[in-house]
Amino acid sequence: MQDEYRTVARAGVHETEVNRSRFLCALAPAATEQEAQAFIATVRKEHADATHNCWAYVIGADASVQKASDDGEPGGTAGVPMLQMLLRRDMRYVVAVVTRYYGGVKLGAGGLIRAYGGAVGEALDALGTRTRRRFRLATITVDHQRAGKLENDLRTTGREVRDVRYAEAVTIEIALPDADVDAVRVWLADATAGTARFDLGGEAYGDA
């Protein structure tokens, strides 16, 4: 797995104008290819009267899924430059749709490539990006007597506490950078006189 990736901070739309043609770039985070396709369908429906609705998306922290469409523009002048801009900015789990309303002036292949790629770049600048980092999930099981202080200590040292469940014992789910696992294991044994259990789980991404 990648240690970290970048994605768009929020969904939104940014508009640019090139030689009287309007370019509206809609960006959104997308966890799956299905989410990306649903977003594209929504934008196409909203702008059914537009000249073109070109799109590109990148899914997977390692960019394993990359797709793009020129939607009737000359081959390689719209979807591909949009996709290239997303990849150049190290964007993942993101979908971009650029809606074009033709303004009466032909842009030529070079102009189209610059306009579509540029629309995505400007939208990323306007909406902002965020970095997501890989964490190891871990579960701490501890008695009720020590649980409150332990949870408080975890939070005050900047650990991400994802869930706390109370039963016969208290289960605290946390997310850690790989490099911190051993240190937390030692600290936990020390803080609870060896009474707490520490179980490593899978991996997930969280905000860096």
Side-chain angles (χ1 to χ4, degrees):
M1 288 174 79
Q2 296 278 111
D3 278 343
E4 63 180 45
Y5 67 86
R6 292 167 71 199
T7 192
V8 65
R10 59 188 173 87
V13 181
H14 180 73
E15 182 174 339
T16 56
E17 189 174 309
V18 182
N19 284 357
R20 297 209 296 271
S21 275
R22 290 171 63 213
F23 291 86
L24 286 78
C25 179
L27 283 174
T32 64
E33 202 170 349
Q34 289 73 23
E35 274 187 33
Q37 289 167 351
F39 180 76
I40 293 162
T42 300
V43 176
R44 289 173 73 98
K45 191 175 175 184
E46 187 183 338
H47 296 285
D49 60 334
T51 320
H52 305 280
N53 284 292
C54 307
W55 53 263
Y57 57 79
V58 181
I59 307 294
D62 55 355
S64 55
V65 178
Q66 305 176 18
K67 292 194 178 167
S69 165
D70 296 314
D71 191 39
E73 291 282 30
T77 62
V80 169
M82 289 169 63
L83 181 62
Q84 285 173 339
M85 180 61 72
L86 292 175
L87 293 171
R88 196 178 307 146
R89 297 287 193 92
D90 294 323
M91 300 301 292
R92 306 289 186 263
Y93 293 107
V94 65
V95 54
V97 184
V98 175
T99 299
R100 182 189 183 191
Y101 286 94
Y102 183 56
V105 179
K106 291 193 173 181
L107 301 181
L112 288 171
I113 289 167
R114 285 190 296 276
Y116 279 99
V120 172
E122 285 190 32
L124 287 171
D125 290 339
L127 296 172
T129 62
R130 61 182 176 146
T131 300
R132 306 273 287 165
R133 189 164 290 150
R134 182 166 59 91
F135 291 98
R136 282 301 294 272
L137 300 176
T139 305
I140 295 168
T141 310
V142 66
D143 59 54
H144 285 259
Q145 190 181 340
R146 292 184 170 91
K149 183 176 187 313
L150 200 65
E151 182 189 345
N152 189 52
D153 287 349
L154 285 164
R155 291 187 189 278
T156 54
T157 54
R159 306 295 177 200
E160 186 189 344
V161 177
R162 294 195 151 200
D163 192 25
V164 181
R165 292 191 300 277
Y166 294 88
E168 282 183 30
V170 181
T171 305
I172 303 171
E173 288 185 6
I174 60 172
L176 298 167
D178 266 343
D180 291 358
V181 169
D182 289 341
V184 168
R185 198 194 297 270
V186 170
W187 165 79
L188 185 66
D190 191 43
T192 65
T195 59
R197 210 173 81 212
F198 183 79
D199 297 306
L200 270 183
E203 296 178 330
Y205 285 93
D207 287 337

